[in-house]
Amino acid sequence: MESLVSGWLTWRTAMDRALYGEEGFYRRGERPAEHFRTSVHASPRFAAALARLLAEVDALLGHPDRLDVVDVGAGSGRLLSNILGCVPAGLLDRLVPTAVEIAPRPAEVSSRIGWRPDLPDRITGLAVANEWLDNVPLDVVERTPGGIRTVLVDPSTGTERPGPAPSLEDHDWLERWWPLREPGDRAEIGHPRCAAWAAVIGRMSTGLAVAVDYSHSREARPVYGTLAGYRDGATVPPVPDGSCDVTAHVALDACTVAGERAGATSTLLTTQRDALRALGLSGTRPPLDLAHRDPRAYLAALCHAGEDAELTDSSGLGGFGWLAQTVGIPIPAVLSP
């Protein structure tokens, strides 16, 4: 497709225009499931696990008259639709589901689900950001023989060249979270993601917020960064021209501190494998004798086991990081190690 803009740009500006500009990848309503595998589309059991977590939050809040469930970066709205199909009637009657998404509202989304381009002012309940932070635009820097330089990119080709020295804010974030040791080492400046997550926590009156994403920690940052592109189910070069999704893994440890500064009172940083297993997705195959006693039940249980296995596979979706932070309540016991 034709480039959205020409000339050299910082990666943060290029990503913002490519993903969220007037003709950007997400602005025009691209469906994530058409381009890459997500937990939401892998199995409705992901939503069932979150529905159980929502019920735990509801109990900790004392079953309020209004309970929010907010999906940040809702895409097609399927996660909320699936959650609505899982919760019991007594909770469903009090539930206020809200999708936060800049793309147009799909026609098939239930009228029960609110649809808005920005975060609600206040949230009492559960907020979920599943594969949202990895699409928050950021800058890339590289250590050169002449010092650390911001990387500039030609959005029409993806060609890069070194630019100016990073800002003081970028430099301070690097020093704390992603120090560069050798020429050629690269980093993705994560403070825009920290700010985005802090905005979610800052809107929590009381409840739980969960970020689920590709992630890494300070002890094991990737030497050359993680920028990647996805289109039509395949990995492609991350050319920021609006033709593909452009993403980078998230420094969830840095987001943890940002959330605490924004008001989080309890924190759990774990993996999707551990979180979903705690929420009942074991991946255990049903006993063989069930096939003789109840073939249909056996097939259903076998299907569930396969879906659970994909969602908790440590080399795939199960390796995603889960950052769970609460305001005014403890981390739900079901998630606590």
Side-chain angles (χ1 to χ4, degrees):
M1 75 180 282
E2 197 172 315
S3 175
L4 300 177
V5 67
S6 60
W8 296 98
L9 301 174
T10 66
W11 265 105
R12 185 175 181 182
T13 298
M15 284 181 68
D16 186 59
R17 295 184 182 184
L19 298 179
Y20 307 113
E22 186 175 345
E23 296 296 324
F25 186 80
Y26 283 111
R27 177 73 68 178
R28 64 176 181 262
E30 291 283 350
R31 302 291 184 89
E34 296 174 358
H35 301 281
F36 49 88
R37 189 76 163 166
T38 73
S39 298
V40 174
H41 299 89
S43 169
R45 290 177 63 77
F46 181 72
L50 288 174
R52 180 182 178 190
L53 187 57
L54 178 65
E56 295 280 336
V57 171
D58 182 47
L60 287 170
L61 293 174
H63 310 290
D65 293 337
R66 171 193 169 115
L67 183 69
D68 293 309
V69 57
V70 179
D71 183 7
V72 187
S76 66
R78 183 178 294 186
L79 178 59
L80 287 177
S81 297
N82 288 346
I83 288 174
L84 289 177
C86 295
V87 297
L91 195 159
L92 184 62
D93 294 342
R94 297 179 285 110
L95 199 59
V96 180
T98 302
V100 178
E101 177 58 61
I102 65 166
R105 180 192 187 102
E108 66 271 18
V109 171
S110 167
S111 60
R112 276 220 57 194
I113 297 174
W115 197 273
R116 54 185 296 158
D118 52 3
L119 292 167
D121 291 335
R122 306 305 298 167
I123 302 169
T124 298
L126 174 66
V128 179
N130 182 60
E131 296 192 56
W132 171 61
L133 288 174
D134 66 293
N135 284 130
V136 173
L138 43 58
D139 277 327
V140 177
V141 296
E142 181 173 330
R143 178 171 285 281
T144 72
I148 298 175
R149 294 289 182 265
T150 300
V151 177
L152 302 181
V153 60
D154 181 338
S156 63
T157 65
T159 303
E160 296 178 334
R161 69 173 177 84
S167 68
L168 180 60
E169 183 181 24
D170 290 352
H171 183 270
D172 289 347
W173 191 91
L174 278 172
E175 283 295 304
R176 178 165 187 184
W177 295 110
W178 199 332
L180 299 179
R181 308 299 184 192
E182 303 291 336
D185 288 359
R186 288 164 65 106
E188 293 138 3
I189 304 293
H191 61 73
R193 279 95 180 271
C194 294
W197 181 244
V200 175
I201 297 298
R203 285 165 172 77
M204 299 293 301
S205 295
T206 182
L208 169 68
V210 178
V212 183
D213 235 312
Y214 305 96
S215 65
H216 43 59
S217 64
R218 191 181 191 281
E219 296 73 28
R221 304 287 189 218
V223 175
Y224 302 117
T226 62
L227 276 176
Y230 295 92
R231 182 173 57 243
D232 299 330
T235 303
V236 297
V239 179
D241 62 356
S243 68
C244 64
D245 179 35
V246 180
T247 179
H249 295 198
V250 183
L252 283 181
D253 48 358
C255 292
T256 296
V257 173
E260 290 168 349
R261 289 175 176 172
T265 52
S266 297
T267 293
L268 174 67
L269 187 56
T270 185
T271 65
Q272 174 152 302
R273 178 181 178 86
D274 288 344
L276 292 185
R277 284 190 164 188
L279 290 166
L281 275 62
S282 68
T284 303
R285 293 172 62 91
L288 190 58
D289 69 299
L290 181 61
H292 303 290
R293 292 184 287 106
D294 190 339
R296 288 186 178 181
Y298 176 79
L299 288 175
L302 193 63
C303 179
H304 290 166
E307 292 173 1
D308 291 359
E310 180 180 5
L311 289 169
T312 59
D313 179 3
S314 58
S315 64
L317 296 172
F320 278 25
W322 271 47
L323 171 57
Q325 294 191 301
T326 61
V327 175
I329 60 171
I331 296 292
V334 69
L335 286 181
S336 299

